[in-house]
Amino acid sequence: NRPTGLLETLQAIVARLEWEVSDPSTRRPANLEVARGYRVLGATRTEQLDLAPALEALTKAVELDTALLAESPRKPEYRLEYALTLQALGTLHRRRADHAAAHERSSKAHAMALELAKEHALPDLYFSLPGQLAVEIASADAMVAGTRGGEGVTATRNEPVHE
């Protein structure tokens, strides 16, 4: 049974990586890859407005990121992965029209990305991440201001999700 679509492929990859976690010799690298897999799965589901499963996947990614950071709090790879997960959570919360939560997650991700950049530990591929996050924060702030004026719009297919 081969996966037929993007989501099925991502789910198969995450399942394979979780299986590898059970092997002590691959535990740490696999955990980072599992966290990344959950983040990508959550971000993909967010883009498809499948928000409840997106939140589940991103919550699992945060749990794994937090565990990795507890083991090695200064490791750049772990900090970058956590920042990217927080960015994905910010996007999810914007889709749910929870602009305060979007602002909070994006702000935390922005601070982490800036810290990595100041330490010259932000990979070249992510050089624009602090700027992207600044735009996301401004967007969340604008949406909060619009909501206060009675102009808030919710773009979801699912029922509201609570963390």
Side-chain angles (χ1 to χ4, degrees), residues 6-7 10 13-14 33-47 57-58 61 81 84-85 88:
L6 176 62
L7 287 175
L10 287 170
I13 291 169
V14 168
E33 293 304 317
V34 172
R36 187 172 293 133
Y38 275 112
R39 174 181 49 85
V40 171
L41 179 61
T44 301
R45 288 195 177 277
T46 297
E47 290 304 314
L58 291 171
E81 184 57 34
L84 293 170
T85 299

Side-chain angles (χ1 to χ4, degrees), residues 12-141:
I13 291 169
V14 168
R16 170 69 178 158
L17 291 170
E18 284 180 327
W19 176 78
E20 289 179 12
V21 169
S22 64
D23 180 354
S25 68
T26 61
R27 185 179 166 277
R28 283 200 176 121
N31 269 345
L32 178 60
E33 293 304 317
V34 172
R36 187 172 293 133
Y38 275 112
R39 174 181 49 85
V40 171
L41 179 61
T44 301
R45 288 195 177 277
T46 297
E47 290 304 314
Q48 296 179 339
L49 297 178
D50 198 5
L51 302 181
L55 182 60
E56 285 179 37
L58 291 171
T59 299
K60 184 68 174 171
V62 166
E63 290 170 9
L64 293 168
D65 291 338
T66 302
L68 290 168
L69 285 168
E71 291 177 12
S72 300
R74 300 301 308 158
K75 190 165 186 173
E77 295 90 346
Y78 296 170
R79 292 162 51 212
L80 175 61
E81 184 57 34
Y82 187 47
L84 293 170
T85 299
L86 291 172
Q87 179 186 29
L89 269 170
T91 300
L92 169 69
H93 289 305
R94 267 190 305 288
R95 296 269 196 266
R96 293 176 52 215
D98 186 348
H99 307 298
H103 176 89
E104 178 185 336
R105 299 314 187 284
S106 296
S107 294
K108 190 170 183 178
H110 184 250
M112 293 181 79
L114 284 176
E115 184 179 297
L116 286 165
K118 286 177 186 174
E119 296 170 8
H120 304 284
L122 192 62
D124 290 344
L125 179 65
Y126 296 102
F127 80 96
S128 65
L129 183 61
Q132 291 171 355
L133 288 162
V135 169
E136 291 176 16
I137 292 165
S139 173
D141 289 346

